[in-house]
Amino acid sequence: MDKKMIATRDGLGDELVELGKKNKSIYVVDADIGKSCKTTTFAKTLPEQHVNVGIAEQNAAGVAAGLATCGKVPFVVTYAVFGSLRMCEQIRQEICYPNLNVKIACSHGGVTPANDGASHQCIEDMGVLRTLPNMTVIMPADYWAARRLVEAAAKMDGPCYLRFTRDAIPVIYDENAIFEIGKANQLKEGKDVAIIANGDTVRLALEAAEVLEKDGITARVLDMHTIKPLDVDAVKACVNDIGKIITVEDHNIINGLGGAVCEVVAEMGKGIVKRIGIQDQFGQSAPYERLLAINGITTEDIAAAAKTLLK
Amino acid sequence: MNKEITIAELKEKAKQLRKTAVTMIYEAQSGHPGGALSIADIVSCLYFREMNVDPKNPRWEDRDRFVLSKGHVCPIQYSALGLLGFFPEEDLHTLRKEGSKLQGHPSMNKCPGIDISTGSLGQGLSCAVGMALAGKRDGKDYMVYAVVGDGEADEGQIWEAVMAAYRYHLDNLVVIIDNNGLQIDGTTDEIMPQLDFTKKFDAFGYDTYEIDGHNMEQIVETFDKIHAAKDGRPKFINAHTVKGKGVSYMENQLAWHGMAPNDEQYAQAMKELEEGI
């Protein structure tokens, strides 16, 4: 595995510039945190496609909706906690209900803004937004996943929420990896347990699979980058082929990836799921890896959960 | 756009709009007559004189845009759209009915001629800013007209949008406040005093106009001035209006914010709107 470390927000910023150069309809709507969301190059090189509304996220959502009615493809770029919760009703009323082609692209997802503390960490966003009709919800697992999924989001017509990391995480894909919105990427095949992860925890799922292999346990690892629409077929295949599933996410265990997977499994009437994620509690200022560990989101925790399921 | 239309004809259109809107609310036995009647004269002038729209091509990209940020008074806009032929006039009898184009609050994907879905107060003006900005960036000369309620201006997002329009020099945006002085729980002075809207917008860098929102001569004259004043400043009209204007028992009455008339009240409303109070 390539251990190069890079934050997925960099993937967002780099891809937006590429897309914006090719397509003059691509707009970025910033809310005064372009610097930390990596849109500075876009603003400098494509000023005619850039808007900064200041510290006014609710207005950003509405301005983007208005731009979309005029054929633009606006990306509202801010932090996850503002882009999902501060703007939530604006997203519902002016973006999802009219089904407008607006992308909400947010850095600082999960506990990745670690040192900033609970106010800036966002553990609720994907769950809240996946309950909105017409919305697509995505979290890429690394820099290249971020680039390809931003590209895919720009191509699809309709509202889409994308969530990126503030902190650097390992690069696990290469430049040519293929992504399709709504279709999980199987990164590893196995027969004893299925580990379904997304975002910055996919790397942990892969590491856990390696650890388990040493004990003769093989794991299927899925990168479920899109939690809505969920790749239901991939989840059903895990139940039918393996029956034991662990979900891993840097998000509240309520209503995120684990919740979405459980909805499918519960209706199948067979299979068992263990959810690993934020334990329905606010974070604190602490190193990123510590915040994950406090919530039981480590390679060791995933491996231990697998062994428990196999008992 | 029809600059040839006379003041008398615009007044007649406004009368038609009022009668149609009240009829829709009566038939639905649900809706918001007070604010629909207060903005009727301005809506009449916009749709029958000022705006470049094409009923056969509602999403025509060069059209002027109309954003009803106070979406609950949509029957007055539906009336204009129906009379202009954006949809068959018989659809005007389907307000708030299952499967209707004419939702309780406007839906752009259901009703031709609605430029953005609204209903949740405080949000439409931001969308209008986005539309005006797109027009500027694309070098188009369309106008964007946004009607905001005086009570609606309690919402902080209105002022976020107001600032953004100044920042981006949107002189193609006209913000109209339907200043009828009433909101649901009381007068605006009791609930949340806005003091002087004109002074506020002046401080926010707007080209401001203060008018009697029921004086058609003044309305026409104001829009003419606005079209001649492309000076980089967004436009603001402080329209002093009467909630429930044209129906005696509705005028300035809080209760008629969101209530439908009964048979007797409806007959009286039609008579007064036709003959004057």
Side-chain angles (χ1 to χ4, degrees), chain B residues 239-255:
Chain B
H240 293 277
T241 57
V242 173
K243 202 161 183 171
K245 176 73 179 176
V247 179
S248 59
Y249 59 86
M250 290 187 186
E251 286 193 355
N252 289 315
Q253 295 303 309
L254 281 178

Side-chain angles (χ1 to χ4, degrees), chain A residues 130 196 224 227 229-240 245 256-273:
Chain A
R130 87 181 172 97
I196 305 178
M224 192 66 81
I227 71 161
L230 188 73
D231 188 345
V232 172
D233 290 342
V235 174
K236 284 185 173 171
C238 289
V239 172
N240 289 327
I245 297 173
L257 171 66
V261 167
C262 284
E263 287 161 13
V264 176
V265 176
E267 290 190 352
M268 290 178 76
K270 59 178 181 174
I272 183 163
V273 181

Side-chain angles (χ1 to χ4, degrees), chain A residues 7-9 107-109 112 139 163-167 169 200:
Chain A
T8 62
R9 61 177 164 156
S107 178
H108 292 50
T112 70
M139 186 172 191
R163 181 203 218 215
F164 305 91
T165 67
R166 182 209 175 277
D167 286 4
I169 57 171
D200 47 314

Side-chain angles (χ1 to χ4, degrees), chain A residues 15 140-152 155 171-181 183 185-187 223 225:
Chain A
E15 189 61 29
D142 79 345
Y143 174 83
W144 287 114
R147 294 210 42 178
R148 294 291 84 82
L149 286 163
V150 168
E151 187 183 23
K155 270 188 196 146
V171 175
I172 58 175
Y173 285 104
D174 66 46
E175 187 173 356
N176 302 313
I178 291 169
F179 291 86
E180 189 183 327
I181 290 173
K183 193 161 173 19
N185 283 8
Q186 185 174 311
L187 301 179
D223 171 7
H225 47 74

Side-chain angles (χ1 to χ4, degrees), chain A residues 20-158:
Chain A
K21 282 181 184 164
K22 282 182 265 182
N23 179 355
K24 294 296 163 198
S25 295
I26 301 280
Y27 270 53
V28 165
V29 181
D30 267 325
D32 198 43
I33 40 181
K35 231 173 260 171
S36 50
C37 295
K38 303 294 175 183
T39 55
T40 312
T41 308
F42 189 101
K44 275 190 189 140
T45 53
L46 301 163
E48 283 297 300
Q49 293 159 251
H50 182 257
V51 186
N52 194 334
V53 299
I55 309 165
E57 293 81 9
Q58 301 169 100
N59 188 42
V63 167
L67 287 166
T69 67
C70 300
K72 309 302 179 199
V73 186
F75 279 73
V76 179
V77 180
T78 178
Y79 294 166
V81 69
F82 312 134
S84 61
L85 302 180
R86 182 64 166 258
M87 284 166 43
C88 187
E89 202 222 339
Q90 285 74 12
I91 295 174
R92 178 185 187 271
Q93 306 287 0
E94 303 301 343
I95 296 171
C96 287
Y97 175 43
N99 201 16
L100 288 170
N101 197 17
V102 175
K103 319 301 169 187
I104 316 289
C106 293
S107 178
H108 292 50
V111 296
T112 70
N115 297 328
D116 290 331
S119 62
H120 282 55
Q121 296 158 5
C122 188
I123 58 168
E124 310 91 347
D125 49 343
M126 300 179 74
V128 168
L129 293 184
R130 87 181 172 97
T131 64
L132 297 182
N134 295 333
M135 184 58 109
T136 292
V137 180
I138 293 172
M139 186 172 191
D142 79 345
Y143 174 83
W144 287 114
R147 294 210 42 178
R148 294 291 84 82
L149 286 163
V150 168
E151 187 183 23
K155 270 188 196 146
M156 65 164 268
D157 187 17

